[in-house]
């Protein structure tokens, strides 16, 4: 076993081995590129940048505007394009829903950053 091999980024297992251009963890089965461990560590350690539909960087507390009409389950009408949403919170949501907010007339919900733009 080579002491220079990095631990597994998924399970932190120390029994990694090289297989061609990949590192492999026998404990969890995770495979990752042999040259990309520095990039993976920098990505995992750095803050996640969330951008709106036009590429502006969003932050907690921003006010955003919905850019297209959204269907809302259980509601006869949806959220119309142009609706302003104040005081957003950025979260690691499910299925790309990375904005936690309260929409007037609908209550608390999560939105995707791809359907809003910074106001």
């Amino acid at each position: 076993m080579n002491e220079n091999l990095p631990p597994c980024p998924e399970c932190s297992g120390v029994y990694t081995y090289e297989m061609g251009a990949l590192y492999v963890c026998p404990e969890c089965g995770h495979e990752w590129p042999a040259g990309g461990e520095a990039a993976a560590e920098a990505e995992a350690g750095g803050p996640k940048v969330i951008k709106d539909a036009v590429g502006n960087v969003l932050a907690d507390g921003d006010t955003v505007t919905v850019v297209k009409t959204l269907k809302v389950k259980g509601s006869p009408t949806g959220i119309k394009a142009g609706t302003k949403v104040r005081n957003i919170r950025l979260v690691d949501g499910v299925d790309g829903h990375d904005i936690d907010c309260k929409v007037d007339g609908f209550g608390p919900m999560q939105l995707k950053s791809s359907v809003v733009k910074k106001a």
Side-chain angles (χ1 to χ4, degrees), residues 66-72 76-83 106 111 115:
V66 177
V67 295
K68 68 178 199 175
T69 302
L70 304 173
K71 294 180 182 178
V72 177
T77 62
I79 299 172
K80 295 187 179 188
T83 302
F106 292 95
L111 299 174
V115 297

Side-chain angles (χ1 to χ4, degrees), residues 32-71:
W32 68 100
E37 68 270 357
E41 288 176 11
E43 180 182 307
K48 184 176 176 185
V49 176
I50 297 176
K51 296 184 179 184
D52 66 0
V54 293
N56 297 322
V57 177
L58 297 173
D60 286 345
D62 282 346
T63 299
V64 295
T65 305
V66 177
V67 295
K68 68 178 199 175
T69 302
L70 304 173
K71 294 180 182 178

Side-chain angles (χ1 to χ4, degrees), residues 4-101:
N4 296 331
L5 295 178
C8 176
E10 292 292 314
C11 70
S12 301
V14 295
Y15 300 109
T16 57
Y17 62 90
E18 271 187 284
M19 186 174 66
L22 297 174
Y23 289 137
V24 179
C25 175
E27 295 176 16
C28 68
H30 180 67
E31 298 178 353
W32 68 100
E37 68 270 357
E41 288 176 11
E43 180 182 307
K48 184 176 176 185
V49 176
I50 297 176
K51 296 184 179 184
D52 66 0
V54 293
N56 297 322
V57 177
L58 297 173
D60 286 345
D62 282 346
T63 299
V64 295
T65 305
V66 177
V67 295
K68 68 178 199 175
T69 302
L70 304 173
K71 294 180 182 178
V72 177
K73 192 184 288 187
S75 174
T77 62
I79 299 172
K80 295 187 179 188
T83 302
K84 285 197 175 197
V85 180
R86 292 176 178 77
N87 199 19
I88 65 168
R89 225 175 56 222
L90 302 177
V91 295
D92 289 331
V94 179
D95 293 332
H97 292 83
D98 45 14
I99 297 175
D100 197 19
C101 61

